[in-house]
Amino acid sequence: MRSYRAPKGMQDWTPDEQRYYRWIDETARAQVARYGFLPLTTPIVELTELFARGVGTGTDIVEKEMYSFETRGNEQLTIRPEFTAGMMRAYVEHGMHNLPQPVKLYAIGPLLRYERPGMGRYRQHTQLSVEAVGEDDPALDAELMTVAAEIFEALGIGQLRFLLNSIGCPACRPHYVNSVLVPWLEAQREHLGETDQMRLEKNPLRVLDTKDAKVRALLVDVPLLADYLCDDCRDHFDALRGYLDRLGRPYVVDPLLVRGFDYYTKTVFEVQSDALDTANNTLCGGGRYDGLIELLGGQPTPAIGFGLGFERARLVLEELEIVPPPLPETQLFALWFDDATKKRAFDTVAALRQAGFRAELAYARGKRSFKSQMRAADKSPAQFVLIFGERELAERAINVKEMSSGAQQRVPLDELTEWLRARL
RNA sequence: GCGGCUGUAGUUCAGUGGCAGAACGCUUGGUUGUGGCCCAAGAGGUCGUGGGUUCGAAACCCACCAGUCGCCCCA
């Protein structure tokens, strides 16, 4: 029989790896809570139409990366490829515009995208998504970028690059794209590679994001959106930079930074790490999406959010040799000699667990040498080994051995709990 | 989806046409009740999968699958 593997681009989180994800999860929750963000859990699937409309029919995600299916009831559903559309659907559905604004929400969970997997890119991956809805104050933009930074700092990850840009709004971007950028790019058309020519047709802004070195060189002269922003977008961007400067938070304005979702307006940002020398070095990406909620049938409502990838954060932690705090591990390990002492060990371990200790028993179907049991105890993380012998059985006591020192002491059973509490 | 590289034990890898290997890890034992070091024994592999070439394939050829690097795109 053939053995099974996890589906392509998907991975198990083994016990050894759990500590990374638990730590990232707990750290993220603690950091966003300091800013008043509250957890929101949405379904892992939504109507396909929600993503088509929200993310944009022209995007790669909607065009070729969604896990979509039809239910027995003929609903067209899609496993979420991102969080924002579903969270905004929930905002509208639950009338959260009636709450004090902004409504600050976060979600953590798996997303699925049918992509070609590689290091740092998986078909199923995990994100923290942080969204603040109902407010267009650039101070909020600054705070959102800051909380992202603080999550990484709390994890001990430094050496990050914060890239920032404004991609304008429906009042100014179309004019720039149609009347300035496209004509300029058309004039350079012969120098563009195949993919950049395609982008020029489909999504001209993305040509700015090219990895083609020749095109990048040309782009030093490209007219920048920054010079064509409307007053509102310019004021917003200037104010955001002012707030970031007040915080002393370093960032780089990258006038060529654009992002893949159709819904972004004004602020876009990315956090990259030099610790990852792959192409997938973006740890965190986000931006403002002031038009999305109206697009999904709600009142016109400004909003901003970002996504932070757990798998990539973990890769950086490993690369930097940052070891997460351990999960709760076994404190006590009980050994025995024969049937009678094993029963006493079994009972005592059960009682110790009831008392709140993490305790394990040496197992064997029948006999097992004491040495073998002691080796098992040595491999366990237990600090103390509880030894149940015939002599101790008679005296209603046990020997407690501290593994780090090898020191051993006889403790009456009645006093065991107290004795251990004083030491663990 | 396109192109390059790589798939041998749980892990890291050796083996380049002639018996499937090493190290580490794992299990058990090393005599009457004590771990780490050491010693011994053992378990664990359809050599990624399927086809082809050959007297003979882990090795050579093809396809597929998976991983990885780059592109596309993204966390």
Side-chain angles (χ1 to χ4, degrees):
Chain A
M1 172 156 157
R2 224 180 94 224
S3 62
Y4 292 103
R5 318 182 76 163
K8 180 172 180 161
M10 306 190 184
Q11 47 188 211
D12 302 309
W13 289 359
T14 64
D16 278 347
E17 294 161 346
Q18 288 288 336
R19 51 157 55 182
Y20 285 95
Y21 295 109
R22 296 269 182 105
W23 191 39
I24 296 167
D25 181 286
E26 287 162 14
T27 302
R29 289 177 195 275
Q31 292 299 318
V32 299
R34 296 166 51 237
Y35 288 74
F37 287 91
L38 297 172
L40 169 69
T41 302
T42 61
I44 200 164
V45 297
E46 298 278 356
L47 286 180
T48 299
E49 185 190 334
L50 178 76
F51 296 118
R53 190 172 286 208
V55 179
T57 45
T59 60
D60 275 22
I61 287 185
V62 170
E63 263 185 6
K64 47 192 194 193
E65 295 183 1
M66 297 204 302
Y67 282 83
S68 299
F69 61 98
E70 184 177 320
T71 66
R72 290 161 195 267
N74 302 315
E75 292 170 300
Q76 302 296 326
L77 298 182
T78 292
I79 303 173
R80 62 187 178 205
E82 59 107 51
F83 269 117
T84 307
M87 292 174 76
M88 292 311 108
R89 192 264 310 140
Y91 174 90
V92 174
E93 179 172 341
H94 298 286
M96 293 191 198
H97 60 278
N98 292 313
L99 299 171
Q101 306 290 301
V103 177
K104 295 177 172 176
L105 302 167
Y106 74 91
I108 293 174
L111 305 177
L112 265 73
R113 291 178 199 166
Y114 192 85
E115 309 180 88
R116 175 107 184 224
M119 184 59 82
R121 167 150 74 227
Y122 308 100
R123 288 187 172 175
Q124 177 177 327
H125 75 284
T126 310
Q127 275 191 32
L128 160 72
S129 193
V130 179
E131 318 284 343
V133 193
E135 179 57 66
D136 67 356
D137 184 346
L140 183 56
D141 300 42
E143 288 193 350
L144 230 80
M145 293 178 62
T146 303
V147 72
E150 286 169 348
I151 290 168
F152 293 118
E153 280 166 11
L155 292 170
I157 299 174
Q159 306 269 331
L160 294 171
R161 267 196 317 282
F162 265 76
L163 304 180
L164 175 64
N165 194 21
S166 173
I167 59 166
C169 68
C172 53
R173 186 169 54 209
H175 170 258
Y176 164 78
V177 171
N178 297 325
S179 306
V180 180
L181 180 63
V182 169
W184 190 90
L185 288 172
E186 289 287 0
Q188 313 288 331
R189 191 180 196 100
E190 53 184 309
H191 299 112
L192 300 182
E194 198 180 328
T195 43
D196 285 326
Q197 295 207 19
M198 238 166 51
R199 288 159 141 181
L200 175 52
E201 304 294 334
K202 249 180 60 182
N203 191 349
L205 217 47
R206 290 215 64 93
V207 178
L208 300 178
D209 205 24
T210 186
K211 283 181 184 159
D212 185 329
K214 292 200 305 271
V215 180
R216 286 205 88 90
L218 287 178
L219 289 177
V220 294
D221 296 322
V222 74
L224 297 175
L225 176 51
D227 297 320
Y228 293 87
L229 292 177
C230 61
D231 289 346
D232 182 40
C233 287
R234 174 182 314 286
D235 289 348
H236 189 276
F237 193 45
D238 289 345
L240 166 57
R241 297 177 60 180
Y243 283 119
L244 289 172
D245 291 339
R246 288 184 73 81
L247 291 167
R249 192 149 289 288
Y251 61 92
V252 178
V253 173
D254 179 356
L256 300 182
L257 177 67
V258 293
R259 293 188 47 78
F261 301 141
D262 280 0
Y263 51 59
Y264 283 127
T265 55
K266 294 193 173 79
T267 310
V268 293
F269 69 95
E270 271 186 22
V271 183
Q272 300 180 348
S273 167
D274 292 323
L276 296 182
D277 54 0
T278 69
N280 305 318
N281 61 348
T282 299
L283 297 178
C284 179
R288 183 162 277 285
Y289 46 94
D290 291 343
L292 177 61
I293 291 160
E294 186 177 10
L295 193 67
L296 298 180
Q299 297 298 310
T301 309
I304 180 169
F306 69 82
L308 186 156
F310 277 32
E311 284 80 4
R312 287 189 187 173
R314 182 201 152 175
L315 287 174
V316 174
L317 289 173
E318 285 181 317
E319 193 58 41
L320 298 177
E321 296 179 0
I322 297 171
V323 181
L327 269 33
E329 31 190 37
T330 294
Q331 302 166 297
L332 306 170
F333 203 98
L335 312 186
W336 42 268
F337 290 91
D338 57 15
D339 215 41
T341 50
K342 182 179 178 184
K343 285 189 171 110
R344 172 64 62 77
F346 182 82
D347 294 345
T348 307
V349 162
L352 286 168
R353 289 176 187 139
Q354 288 297 318
F357 294 102
R358 297 186 293 275
E360 291 189 87
L361 178 71
Y363 301 110
R365 182 94 182 273
K367 288 192 173 187
R368 183 171 176 187
S369 76
F370 191 73
K371 195 183 194 75
S372 170
Q373 294 184 42
M374 189 61 96
R375 280 181 175 142
D378 184 47
K379 278 165 194 153
S380 99
Q383 293 143 273
F384 291 102
V385 171
L386 311 180
I387 298 166
F388 292 80
E390 289 165 21
R391 295 196 291 273
E392 291 79 16
L393 190 63
E395 297 173 29
R396 292 200 56 79
I398 62 167
N399 278 346
V400 181
K401 177 165 179 164
E402 185 181 41
M403 289 304 270
S404 57
S405 64
Q408 191 161 305
Q409 188 175 339
R410 182 156 303 192
V411 179
L413 266 183
D414 295 341
E415 299 167 20
L416 182 59
T417 304
E418 208 176 324
W419 191 93
L420 290 170
R421 281 227 171 90
R423 276 153 246 259
L424 281 172

